[in-house]
Amino acid sequence: MDLNKTALLLMDLQKEEGTSEIEDMEGILDNASDLIEDCREKGIPIIYTRHINRADAVGLAAGEPLNENGEPIYYHSKSISIEIADEIKPEQGDIIIDKHRYSGFYESNLELVLKNLHIKHLVVGGVLTDCSVLSTVMDAYYRDYQVNLVKDICGSTSEGAHMASILMMANRVYNLQIYDTDQIRKMLNDEDYEVWETDEPDELKFNPENLRKTFSKL
C-alpha cells in the first residue's frame, strides 16, 4: 500500500439518536478513534460520510421508513443523527461527504475528492456493514480502487448480517485486504502485521452452518 495514495474512509459513524441500533458501537468508535490518530500522524486524509434523509421526505429511497408525520425515522436532516459521533469528531482539514443512498459514491462528490487527492487505496470502516459499507466497497472495486477493510470498525444490527456481508466482500472483491484495527495500525507503523487476502474467487464457500467458523479465518 502506497501511503501517499491512501485515504481513510469512514462510513456513517454518526450520532446514534435516530439511527439503527448497532452492535458494539462503542467498540467500533474506539477502534476508529485509534486508527484516525495513526492516519493523522502519517498524513493520510480522513474522509467521513454522513447519510442524510431530508426532513420533508423529498428524494428518499423507495420504502424508507417514515414516522406518523411522514418524516424519515432514520438520519432525519433536522436531528442530531446526521452529525459525526463526538468520539471521532472531524478536525480542520478532514473531509465530509454527504450522501442520500447507501453507497458513498452514488450522486455524491466522493470520487471527485478521491481523484483530486490521487487516491488509489482506501482503508474502509463504518456502518452498516450490510448496507453502506458493502455497497461502497463494491462501488470502489468497480472503480479500480484497492480496498482495505477494517472489520472491527464495521458493524450492523446483527452479528449474522455483519459476518455474511464481510464474507461476501471477501469472496468477490478480488483485491480486497481485510484487517483488524490493531493489525492495520501495525502496518502503518512498519511493524509485523497480519492481513487476510483471497487466493481464489469464492474461496470461503460459507453457509448458515459454518458462518462463524469461516468468519474466524479472516
Side-chain angles (χ1 to χ4, degrees):
M1 189 190 308
D2 183 348
L3 299 188
N4 293 316
K5 297 180 179 180
T6 298
L8 175 61
L9 178 61
L10 296 171
M11 306 297 305
D12 304 354
L13 293 178
Q14 297 166 231
K15 294 185 177 180
E16 289 191 75
E17 181 181 307
T19 65
S20 302
E21 292 187 10
I22 298 159
E23 291 193 347
D24 193 28
M25 189 65 168
E26 183 178 350
I28 290 169
L29 291 174
D30 285 345
N31 289 331
S33 178
D34 290 340
L35 184 54
I36 288 169
E37 182 178 348
D38 281 355
C39 286
R40 292 198 198 286
E41 291 179 0
K42 299 296 180 181
I44 293 172
I46 315 296
I47 303 174
Y48 302 82
T49 70
R50 300 192 307 173
H51 196 93
I52 299 176
N53 290 324
R54 285 176 57 112
D56 59 10
V58 172
L60 295 187
E64 182 69 34
L66 304 176
N67 63 21
E68 63 276 9
N69 298 318
E71 299 175 348
I73 294 173
Y74 302 117
Y75 303 111
H76 190 297
S77 63
K78 293 185 178 179
S79 74
I80 66 168
S81 66
I82 67 169
E83 302 301 332
I84 304 299
D86 289 336
E87 295 89 337
I88 55 167
K89 188 175 181 179
E91 295 184 1
Q92 186 173 0
D94 293 342
I95 299 166
I96 298 176
I97 305 291
D98 290 339
K99 65 185 185 68
H100 308 283
R101 293 293 189 271
Y102 291 156
S103 174
F105 287 94
Y106 185 78
E107 296 193 359
S108 78
N109 65 344
L110 175 58
E111 190 161 20
L112 291 174
V113 168
L114 296 177
K115 286 182 176 180
N116 185 260
L117 293 172
H118 307 292
I119 298 301
K120 300 295 184 183
H121 308 275
L122 291 173
V123 178
V124 179
V127 300
L128 298 170
T129 318
D130 51 333
C131 294
S132 294
V133 175
L134 174 62
S135 58
T136 300
V137 167
M138 298 303 294
D139 274 353
Y141 180 54
Y142 304 151
R143 290 163 171 78
D144 296 324
Y145 293 98
Q146 188 274 316
V147 178
N148 305 274
L149 185 67
V150 189
K151 70 177 190 289
D152 57 357
I153 299 181
C154 297
S156 190
T157 56
S158 72
E159 182 186 26
H162 169 70
M163 289 193 296
S165 302
I166 289 180
L167 289 170
M168 283 190 285
M169 288 183 271
N171 262 353
R172 298 303 180 191
V173 180
Y174 301 152
N175 65 354
L176 183 71
Q177 295 193 330
I178 299 179
Y179 294 84
D180 285 322
T181 302
D182 63 337
Q183 297 304 310
I184 197 164
R185 294 182 70 201
K186 287 180 179 180
M187 185 275 292
L188 292 175
N189 289 289
D190 295 320
E191 301 174 14
D192 292 337
Y193 65 92
E194 294 181 359
V195 60
W196 184 91
E197 53 189 333
T198 187
D199 293 321
E200 59 180 327
D202 197 22
E203 174 182 348
L204 297 171
K205 296 180 174 60
F206 61 96
N207 57 54
E209 288 73 32
N210 70 4
L211 183 63
R212 188 173 284 108
K213 181 178 179 180
T214 306
F215 187 78
S216 68
K217 298 177 182 179
L218 300 180

